[in-house]
């Protein structure tokens, strides 16, 4: 996630990378909301990974609202941050 992105949740656990300057992995639980510019993603839980830069959002359903690309939803949503791809999977 870049500095303008935002993750909101009821709880958040994080693992700091070895350099001490970034988050290697984070798990958000409860009313998760991720903002990436104008895009808003919502779900029940989310895992963020530094390498590769992605987050995996689970929900009933997990959803992404993008003003340019529209709304998508699935049980599991994986957002690859580097190339702006979203993978939708139903469980």
């Amino acid at each position: 996630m870049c500095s303008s992105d935002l993750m909101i949740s009821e709880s958040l656990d994080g693992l700091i990378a070895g350099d001490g300057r970034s988050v290697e992995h984070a798990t958000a639980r409860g009313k998760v909301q991720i903002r990436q510019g104008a895009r808003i993603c919502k779900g029940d839980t989310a895992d963020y990974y530094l390498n590769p830069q992605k987050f995996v959002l689970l929900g009933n359903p997990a959803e992404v609202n993008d003003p340019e690309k529209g709304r998508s939803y699935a049980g599991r949503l994986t957002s690859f941050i580097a190339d702006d791809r979203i993978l939708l999977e139903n469980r």
Side-chain angles (χ1 to χ4, degrees):
M1 297 175 82
C2 69
S3 61
S4 64
D5 295 342
L6 175 68
M7 181 185 287
I8 300 168
S9 64
E10 292 177 340
S11 71
L12 179 67
D13 296 318
L15 176 62
I16 303 299
D19 63 10
R21 292 185 273 161
S22 58
V23 176
E24 185 174 309
H25 178 255
T27 300
R29 293 179 190 87
K31 298 180 184 174
V32 177
Q33 188 175 97
I34 300 169
R35 293 180 187 236
Q36 296 176 295
R39 178 184 292 167
I40 300 174
C41 304
K42 295 179 182 179
D44 300 324
T45 64
D47 283 297
Y48 166 76
Y49 301 91
L50 177 64
N51 193 13
Q53 264 199 314
K54 70 177 183 178
F55 65 83
V56 178
L57 190 63
L58 301 174
N60 189 25
E63 66 178 88
V64 59
N65 272 308
D66 188 306
E68 293 179 17
K69 298 177 183 176
R71 179 178 178 264
S72 298
Y73 55 93
R76 178 184 170 113
L77 183 154
T78 303
S79 177
F80 298 92
I81 297 165
D83 61 4
D84 198 31
R85 280 185 305 128
I86 294 176
L87 175 64
L88 302 171
E89 303 172 63
N90 285 313
R91 295 183 248 177

